[in-house]
Structures are given as C-alpha cells and as structure tokens.
Amino acid sequence: VTQAANFYGEGGSYHKFAGKDASRALGKSSLEPADIENSDLSDLTEEEKKVLDDWFKKYTSKYEKVGRLVQSKL
C-alpha cells in the first residue's frame, strides 16, 4: 500500500499485515501473530464482524484496488 508506506512498509505499525489476508486481525483489532497468520473468520463475534466491515469500507474508499491476494493450494 504505497499511499501509506509509513504504516505498511518495513518498520511501520502495520507492516506485519503486508502481503497477508489481515481480515481476522483487523476484525479482532489484534496485532498478534496468531491472528495475522490465521484467515479463519468463522468464530468472529458480531461486533468483530462490524469492526471488519468498517475497515473494509475505510480501505475501499481510500485506496485504489490494484490487485487481489489469492491463497496458493501448493
């Protein structure tokens, strides 16, 4: 996310999210590796789902979509 390299670049407060599906961590407002590395959303509470939806709205209104992250099945 080059528009916010100070957040997502090396050493930035959210650099751990770069190149990952950070949905779970965002919904849980967590920087814990267990949440960043886990993309399972099935156990999020309704409140956490709302938090995630708010993040989605923020990101889609602020940043231009330039690609899509897909999980390899290798």
Side-chain angles (χ1 to χ4, degrees):
V1 181
T2 57
Q3 290 179 337
N6 56 320
F7 292 114
Y8 301 100
E10 186 66 36
S13 50
Y14 298 117
H15 76 275
K16 295 177 183 179
F17 292 167
K20 296 186 171 52
D21 176 351
S23 300
R24 180 182 182 81
L26 290 169
K28 295 179 84 51
S29 300
S30 172
L31 292 174
E32 294 298 319
D35 292 321
I36 294 170
E37 298 297 328
N38 182 354
S39 60
D40 180 19
L41 305 178
S42 65
D43 64 341
L44 292 185
T45 66
E46 289 304 313
E47 180 61 27
E48 290 168 337
K49 290 176 185 176
K50 180 174 179 337
V51 169
L52 179 55
D53 187 56
D54 290 343
W55 277 110
F56 177 80
K57 289 174 184 170
K58 177 180 176 127
Y59 283 130
T60 56
S61 69
K62 186 172 184 177
Y63 299 109
E64 176 185 354
K65 185 177 181 178
V66 297
R68 198 175 125 199
L69 180 65
V70 295
Q71 186 173 359
S72 173
K73 297 196 189 247
L74 296 177

